[in-house]
């Protein structure tokens, strides 16, 4: 009586229960769940006709659209593994991933074909609709092992060698149910794809939205004006994005005096959002949910679970609370710890820093073809995140830094996130990153890289003085450099580039 858990069941059930409901809006095209279901089965049939066997890898290089969504179901129906490729990588990086995963088939959007012009694969498909039109639907293979790999996601990486994170049927099912539960998805929900589908399989929302029988609204690029248009035109109820995406939307709304009249839930994760960004987003009328996780945890693993008694607090205090990373998702149970170098739990004092460890249903199977990295990541039976946090008395965690981003000045540990939060409160600051800069006296000191809001100005001296009025002087940046920040495709600041720049 125990059936393997698989996200494939979500589409089968929703197509049965809500066949006439709109499943996907992709530009001027609309597909019902019955049509979506049929297209996915034709995709599976097309891949089978190309010789794809169980365990083979099917790579997809596509913007957010119906092809990218259908790739989250079609390959798995015949036991294959989907590899969603980051559309913002360079040709050499994409080529390396294709070789490492050993993809048999590559589905690519025609405008992105130049990125894989040198790829040597058995099959490269740049006419997706033609592929489906010529295909017969496939009968799905029964899922017999819920722990079989269904997807490989390569870490975007702010440093080092990319690793292929393996997801399973069970993990995808569980984390999708977590998203559905934590964020209140229902058949009436309308989800806007401001998050790239290649990022942790869209944080498992392709499966979660489908499980709810809700509507997917595709968006190739999260341009604020188009986001606002679609929110209003489609009645969007949910969207996700990194803090930089949320900040851009909030700034656009502030400039245009736009406030959303209908309930809108924004889930932000990918990097710790400054309280200033949370406050600005809430001023649009949206409800902000703050989640935290990694590629290795299928996207979000924690949520800053909101308590009703916090509703009465002033907005600044609410934003400070909401900026914390919180507690484990319901589906992760108690699989969350903050530990010292000996893997002993740190005291819940909101001050003692330690590494965040996770385990549970929404932690990866391991790294593809990299057993040593897998063993290192799971030392002591827990996944080691590499993130540094404190544990508050109420059991909520709050990130302080990545291990590699801590600034050690004169023997004192300085949290780059703490300093970034202070600078983000300055009215002229749009984005900020703190990295360690070499110093002959202190070893290293904080240096700030700052991007200013359009139409504003600030000097380095002004920003340093702003910090000195709010935090201990030794934590304040000694240097400030202005300009746009380099980012990964998922919105994280490339601090490795900034650290290299400080040493030039």
């Amino acid at each position: 009586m125990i059936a393997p858990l698989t996200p494939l069941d979500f589409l089968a059930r929703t197509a049965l229960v809500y066949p006439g409901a709109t499943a996907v809006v992709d530009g001027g095209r609309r597909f019902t769940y019955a049509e979506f279901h049929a297209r996915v089965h034709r995709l599976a049939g097309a891949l089978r006709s190309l010789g794809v066997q169980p365990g083979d890898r099917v790579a997809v290089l596509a913007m957010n659209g119906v092809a990218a969504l259908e790739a989250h179901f079609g390959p798995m129906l015949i036991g294959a593994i989907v590899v969603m490729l980051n559309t913002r990588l360079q040709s050499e990086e994409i080529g390396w991933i294709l070789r490492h995963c050993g993809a048999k088939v590559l589905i690519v959007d025609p405008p992105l074909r130049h990125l894989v012009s040198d790829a040597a694969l058995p099959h490269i498909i740049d006419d997706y609709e033609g592929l489906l039109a010529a295909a017969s639907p496939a009968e799905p293979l029964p899922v017999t092992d819920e722990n079989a790999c269904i997807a490989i996601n390569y870490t975007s990486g702010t440093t080092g060698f990319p690793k292929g994170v393996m997801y399973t049927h069970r993990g995808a099912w569980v984390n999708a149910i977590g998203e559905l539960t934590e964020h209140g998805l229902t058949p009436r929900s309308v989800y806007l794809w401001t998050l790239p589908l290649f990022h942790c399989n869209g944080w498992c929302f392709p499966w979660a939205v489908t499980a709810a029988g809700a509507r997917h609204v595709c968006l190739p690029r999260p341009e604020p004006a188009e986001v606002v248009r679609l929110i209003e035109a489609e009645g969007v109820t949910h969207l996700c994005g990194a803090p930089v995406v949320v900040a851009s939307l909030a700034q656009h709304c502030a400039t245009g005096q736009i406030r959303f009249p209908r309930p809108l839930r924004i889930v932000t994760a990918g990097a710790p959002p400054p309280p200033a960004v949370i406050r600005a987003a809430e001023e649009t009328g949206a409800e902000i949910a703050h989640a935290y996780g990694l590629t290795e945890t299928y996207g979000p693993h924690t949520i800053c679970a909101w308590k009703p008694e916090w509703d009465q607090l002033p907005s600044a205090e609410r934003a400070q609370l909401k900026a914390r990373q919180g507690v484990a998702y319901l589906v992760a149970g108690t699989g969350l710890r903050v530990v010292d170098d000996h893997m002993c739990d740190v005291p819940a004092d909101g001050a003692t820093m330690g590494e965040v460890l996770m385990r549970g249903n929404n932690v990866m199977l391991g790294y593809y073809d990299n057993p040593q990295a897998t063993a290192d990541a799971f030392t002591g039976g827990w996944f080691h995140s590499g993130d540094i946090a404190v544990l508050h008395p109420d059991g909520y965690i709050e990130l302080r830094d990545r291990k590699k981003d801590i600034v050690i000045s004169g023997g004192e540990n300085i949290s780059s996130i703490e300093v970034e939060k202070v600078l983000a409160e300055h009215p002229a600051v749009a984005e900020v990153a703190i990295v360690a800069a070499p110093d002959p006296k202190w070893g290293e000191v904080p240096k700030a890289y700052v991007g200013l809001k359009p139409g504003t100005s600030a000097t380095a001296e002004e920003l340093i003085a702003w910090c000195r009025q709010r935090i201990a002087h030794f934590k304040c940046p000694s240097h400030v450099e202005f300009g746009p920040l380099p980012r990964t495709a998922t919105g994280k600041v490339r601090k490795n580039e900034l650290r290299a720049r400080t040493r030039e």
Side-chain angles (χ1 to χ4, degrees):
M1 299 300 290
I2 298 177
L5 301 179
T6 172
L8 297 175
D9 288 345
F10 297 147
L11 179 55
R13 179 184 184 276
T14 298
L16 175 67
V17 179
Y18 307 110
T22 301
V24 183
V25 177
D26 185 9
R29 300 187 298 169
R30 291 175 178 264
F31 302 98
T32 66
Y33 267 105
E35 293 168 330
F36 187 40
H37 182 265
R39 287 170 59 89
V40 163
H41 280 71
R42 288 206 304 276
L43 171 58
L47 294 174
R48 182 173 283 167
S49 71
L50 294 175
V52 174
Q53 300 293 317
D56 285 345
R57 275 73 64 202
V58 175
V60 179
L61 181 65
M63 305 299 288
N64 284 358
V66 69
L69 277 172
E70 289 169 354
H72 283 80
F73 296 92
M76 291 83 105
L77 280 176
I78 57 171
I81 299 167
V82 68
V83 182
M84 299 298 297
L85 298 171
N86 186 329
T87 61
R88 298 167 194 168
L89 295 179
Q90 298 298 313
S91 296
E92 294 77 9
E93 297 168 304
I94 292 173
W96 185 93
I97 292 172
L98 290 171
R99 291 190 297 274
H100 185 262
C101 75
K104 179 176 282 189
V105 175
L106 170 63
I107 296 171
V108 56
D109 276 352
L112 302 175
R113 186 67 171 80
H114 66 283
L115 293 174
V116 290
S117 57
D118 297 329
L121 280 80
H123 303 283
I124 299 179
I125 309 298
D126 58 11
D127 180 5
Y128 182 73
E129 293 300 326
L131 177 74
L132 294 194
S136 299
E139 282 297 319
L141 287 177
V143 176
T144 58
D145 181 7
E146 65 180 17
N147 292 311
C149 179
I150 63 168
I152 301 174
N153 289 281
Y154 280 82
T155 54
S156 60
T158 53
T159 62
F161 188 73
K163 296 186 285 290
V165 176
M166 294 187 289
Y167 291 1
T168 67
H169 286 276
R170 177 183 176 84
W173 189 98
V174 167
N175 212 54
I177 292 297
E179 303 294 12
L180 188 151
T181 304
E182 299 289 355
H183 304 299
L185 291 166
T186 75
R188 294 182 176 86
S189 300
V190 180
Y191 181 88
L192 178 62
W193 276 104
T194 48
L195 177 74
L197 275 154
F198 61 71
H199 187 199
C200 309
N201 293 117
W203 300 353
C204 295
F205 275 89
W207 302 308
V209 173
T210 300
R215 186 189 314 165
H216 300 268
V217 179
C218 300
L219 180 64
R221 296 177 184 82
E223 297 170 354
E226 182 64 3
V227 171
V228 170
R229 187 189 73 79
L230 286 171
I231 288 172
E232 295 173 345
E234 296 289 340
V236 170
T237 61
H238 293 74
L239 62 86
C240 297
V244 63
V245 173
V246 176
S248 297
L249 176 61
Q251 186 173 325
H252 175 82
C253 290
T255 301
Q257 296 184 319
I258 298 168
R259 186 174 175 87
F260 301 118
R262 291 187 295 268
L264 172 65
R265 187 174 180 86
I266 296 176
V267 185
T268 188
V277 170
I278 292 174
R279 285 203 310 275
E282 287 185 335
E283 287 170 4
T284 67
E287 177 187 351
I288 308 299
H290 177 202
Y292 154 69
L294 303 94
T295 305
E296 290 86 345
T297 61
Y298 294 72
H301 184 87
T302 77
I303 179 80
C304 186
W306 197 248
K307 299 182 179 181
E309 57 266 31
W310 293 344
D311 289 339
Q312 309 308 316
L313 296 173
S315 62
E317 290 185 41
R318 291 200 310 271
Q320 289 288 343
L321 286 169
K322 194 163 283 189
R324 302 188 300 174
Q325 283 63 42
V327 294
Y329 262 41
L330 178 65
V331 295
T334 57
L336 182 69
R337 297 170 64 197
V338 180
V339 304
D340 61 20
D341 291 339
H342 304 288
M343 286 188 67
C344 296
D345 294 289
V346 303
D349 57 9
T352 305
M353 291 191 287
E355 185 181 13
V356 180
L357 306 186
M358 295 104 145
R359 71 179 178 191
N361 292 306
N362 56 348
V363 176
M364 68 171 179
L365 179 64
Y367 296 116
Y368 179 72
D369 196 26
N370 200 336
Q372 186 57 57
T374 300
D376 293 344
F378 287 107
T379 299
W382 287 75
F383 171 68
H384 291 249
S385 71
D387 287 323
I388 302 300
V390 297
L391 181 66
H392 287 280
D394 61 1
Y396 283 50
I397 70 165
E398 184 175 1
L399 291 190
R400 287 287 187 257
D401 238 319
R402 292 287 293 173
K403 272 187 173 181
K404 61 181 178 291
D405 293 337
I406 285 280
V407 181
I408 305 175
S409 184
E412 296 280 0
N413 286 351
I414 301 172
S415 161
S416 67
I417 293 174
E418 179 185 2
V419 185
E420 288 163 2
K421 285 181 178 179
V422 171
L423 280 168
E425 295 288 342
H426 191 282
V429 172
E431 56 180 5
V432 58
I434 296 290
V435 299
D439 184 84
K441 180 178 180 180
W442 302 109
E444 56 188 30
V445 294
K447 178 175 180 177
Y449 288 87
V450 175
L452 297 177
K453 295 176 182 176
T456 67
S457 64
T459 64
E461 293 75 18
E462 177 185 346
L463 295 181
I464 292 171
W466 173 273
C467 290
R468 289 171 72 90
Q469 294 168 6
R470 289 163 174 82
I471 53 176
H473 289 187
F474 77 89
K475 297 180 180 180
C476 298
S478 300
H479 316 281
V480 179
E481 185 173 318
F482 295 95
L485 305 184
R487 293 183 180 273
T488 70
T490 55
K492 296 178 183 177
V493 175
R494 292 188 178 273
K495 286 195 173 182
N496 57 320
E497 293 186 16
L498 297 180
R499 280 193 291 268
R501 195 184 301 175
T502 66
R503 288 165 171 76
E504 290 176 351

